[in-house]
PDB file of all heavy atoms in Angstrom:
ATOM      1  N   ALA A  66     -10.406   4.303   4.223  1.00 89.00           N
ATOM      2  CA  ALA A  66     -11.391   3.163   4.432  1.00 89.00           C
ATOM      3  C   ALA A  66     -11.071   2.370   5.654  1.00 89.00           C
ATOM      4  O   ALA A  66     -11.855   1.959   6.460  1.00 89.00           O
ATOM      5  CB  ALA A  66     -11.371   2.296   3.224  1.00 89.00           C
ATOM      6  N   GLY A  67      -9.743   2.141   5.848  1.00 88.00           N
ATOM      7  CA  GLY A  67      -9.232   1.463   6.968  1.00 88.00           C
ATOM      8  C   GLY A  67      -9.671   2.169   8.305  1.00 88.00           C
ATOM      9  O   GLY A  67     -10.084   1.556   9.297  1.00 88.00           O
ATOM     10  N   ASN A  68      -9.442   3.391   8.319  1.00 88.00           N
ATOM     11  CA  ASN A  68      -9.653   4.246   9.613  1.00 88.00           C
ATOM     12  C   ASN A  68     -11.154   4.305   9.885  1.00 88.00           C
ATOM     13  O   ASN A  68     -11.618   4.168  10.944  1.00 88.00           O
ATOM     14  CB  ASN A  68      -9.168   5.739   9.337  1.00 88.00           C
ATOM     15  CG  ASN A  68      -7.693   5.804   9.471  1.00 88.00           C
ATOM     16  OD1 ASN A  68      -6.989   4.995   9.833  1.00 88.00           O
ATOM     17  ND2 ASN A  68      -7.175   6.887   8.924  1.00 88.00           N
ATOM     18  N   ALA A  69     -11.951   4.209   8.855  1.00 87.00           N
ATOM     19  CA  ALA A  69     -13.507   4.085   9.051  1.00 87.00           C
ATOM     20  C   ALA A  69     -13.898   2.789   9.672  1.00 87.00           C
ATOM     21  O   ALA A  69     -14.809   2.793  10.468  1.00 87.00           O
ATOM     22  CB  ALA A  69     -14.143   4.337   7.725  1.00 87.00           C
ATOM     23  N   ARG A  70     -13.082   1.745   9.453  1.00 83.00           N
ATOM     24  CA  ARG A  70     -13.319   0.562  10.006  1.00 83.00           C
ATOM     25  C   ARG A  70     -12.608   0.220  11.287  1.00 83.00           C
ATOM     26  O   ARG A  70     -12.633  -0.800  11.906  1.00 83.00           O
ATOM     27  CB  ARG A  70     -12.930  -0.624   9.093  1.00 83.00           C
ATOM     28  CG  ARG A  70     -13.729  -0.804   7.798  1.00 83.00           C
ATOM     29  CD  ARG A  70     -13.515  -2.021   7.000  1.00 83.00           C
ATOM     30  NE  ARG A  70     -12.058  -2.305   6.794  1.00 83.00           N
ATOM     31  CZ  ARG A  70     -11.323  -1.865   5.783  1.00 83.00           C
ATOM     32  NH1 ARG A  70     -11.908  -1.201   4.781  1.00 83.00           N
ATOM     33  NH2 ARG A  70     -10.112  -2.148   5.576  1.00 83.00           N
ATOM     34  N   GLY A  71     -11.844   1.279  11.733  1.00 86.00           N
ATOM     35  CA  GLY A  71     -11.040   1.015  12.902  1.00 86.00           C
ATOM     36  C   GLY A  71      -9.785   0.256  12.810  1.00 86.00           C
ATOM     37  O   GLY A  71      -9.218  -0.263  13.651  1.00 86.00           O
ATOM     38  N   SER A  72      -9.316   0.161  11.479  1.00 87.00           N
ATOM     39  CA  SER A  72      -8.041  -0.607  11.235  1.00 87.00           C
ATOM     40  C   SER A  72      -6.818   0.213  11.004  1.00 87.00           C
ATOM     41  O   SER A  72      -6.970   1.485  10.658  1.00 87.00           O
ATOM     42  CB  SER A  72      -8.272  -1.653  10.064  1.00 87.00           C
ATOM     43  OG  SER A  72      -8.362  -0.963   8.972  1.00 87.00           O
ATOM     44  N   GLN A  73      -5.685  -0.329  11.043  1.00 91.00           N
ATOM     45  CA  GLN A  73      -4.449   0.447  10.888  1.00 91.00           C
ATOM     46  C   GLN A  73      -3.873   0.052   9.496  1.00 91.00           C
ATOM     47  O   GLN A  73      -3.949  -0.969   8.990  1.00 91.00           O
ATOM     48  CB  GLN A  73      -3.439  -0.139  11.964  1.00 91.00           C
ATOM     49  CG  GLN A  73      -2.016   0.468  11.985  1.00 91.00           C
ATOM     50  CD  GLN A  73      -1.333  -0.197  13.069  1.00 91.00           C
ATOM     51  OE1 GLN A  73      -0.941  -1.435  12.977  1.00 91.00           O
ATOM     52  NE2 GLN A  73      -0.884   0.499  13.988  1.00 91.00           N
ATOM     53  N   THR A  74      -3.350   1.097   8.837  1.00 94.00           N
ATOM     54  CA  THR A  74      -2.690   1.027   7.519  1.00 94.00           C
ATOM     55  C   THR A  74      -1.153   1.241   7.743  1.00 94.00           C
ATOM     56  O   THR A  74      -0.711   2.331   8.108  1.00 94.00           O
ATOM     57  CB  THR A  74      -3.257   2.008   6.535  1.00 94.00           C
ATOM     58  OG1 THR A  74      -4.611   1.749   6.505  1.00 94.00           O
ATOM     59  CG2 THR A  74      -2.704   1.744   5.142  1.00 94.00           C
ATOM     60  N   VAL A  75      -0.358   0.243   7.343  1.00 95.00           N
ATOM     61  CA  VAL A  75       1.129   0.304   7.380  1.00 95.00           C
ATOM     62  C   VAL A  75       1.685   0.375   6.062  1.00 95.00           C
ATOM     63  O   VAL A  75       1.302  -0.389   5.188  1.00 95.00           O
ATOM     64  CB  VAL A  75       1.633  -0.891   8.204  1.00 95.00           C
ATOM     65  CG1 VAL A  75       3.155  -0.957   8.258  1.00 95.00           C
ATOM     66  CG2 VAL A  75       0.950  -1.122   9.500  1.00 95.00           C
ATOM     67  N   LEU A  76       2.556   1.306   5.854  1.00 96.00           N
ATOM     68  CA  LEU A  76       3.278   1.421   4.715  1.00 96.00           C
ATOM     69  C   LEU A  76       4.681   0.816   4.976  1.00 96.00           C
ATOM     70  O   LEU A  76       5.482   1.298   5.760  1.00 96.00           O
ATOM     71  CB  LEU A  76       3.447   2.819   4.129  1.00 96.00           C
ATOM     72  CG  LEU A  76       2.277   3.566   3.709  1.00 96.00           C
ATOM     73  CD1 LEU A  76       2.560   4.979   3.359  1.00 96.00           C
ATOM     74  CD2 LEU A  76       1.444   2.781   2.668  1.00 96.00           C
ATOM     75  N   ARG A  77       4.980  -0.326   4.210  1.00 96.00           N
ATOM     76  CA  ARG A  77       6.289  -0.909   4.374  1.00 96.00           C
ATOM     77  C   ARG A  77       7.216  -0.644   3.187  1.00 96.00           C
ATOM     78  O   ARG A  77       6.825  -0.882   2.074  1.00 96.00           O
ATOM     79  CB  ARG A  77       5.990  -2.400   4.556  1.00 96.00           C
ATOM     80  CG  ARG A  77       7.381  -3.296   4.590  1.00 96.00           C
ATOM     81  CD  ARG A  77       7.139  -4.852   4.510  1.00 96.00           C
ATOM     82  NE  ARG A  77       6.318  -5.266   5.570  1.00 96.00           N
ATOM     83  CZ  ARG A  77       5.666  -6.257   5.428  1.00 96.00           C
ATOM     84  NH1 ARG A  77       5.353  -6.977   4.362  1.00 96.00           N
ATOM     85  NH2 ARG A  77       4.919  -6.732   6.525  1.00 96.00           N
ATOM     86  N   GLY A  78       8.321  -0.325   3.439  1.00 94.00           N
ATOM     87  CA  GLY A  78       9.461  -0.117   2.345  1.00 94.00           C
ATOM     88  C   GLY A  78       9.165   1.044   1.428  1.00 94.00           C
ATOM     89  O   GLY A  78       9.634   1.007   0.356  1.00 94.00           O
ATOM     90  N   THR A  79       8.513   2.044   1.995  1.00 92.00           N
ATOM     91  CA  THR A  79       8.221   3.248   1.179  1.00 92.00           C
ATOM     92  C   THR A  79       9.543   4.074   1.129  1.00 92.00           C
ATOM     93  O   THR A  79      10.123   4.417   2.180  1.00 92.00           O
ATOM     94  CB  THR A  79       7.143   4.084   1.777  1.00 92.00           C
ATOM     95  OG1 THR A  79       6.067   3.196   2.095  1.00 92.00           O
ATOM     96  CG2 THR A  79       6.659   5.219   0.942  1.00 92.00           C
TER      97      THR A  79
END
Side-chain angles (χ1 to χ4, degrees):
N68 288 342
R70 291 190 312 269
S72 67
Q73 180 182 64
T74 304
V75 177
L76 294 181
R77 177 189 297 149
T79 310

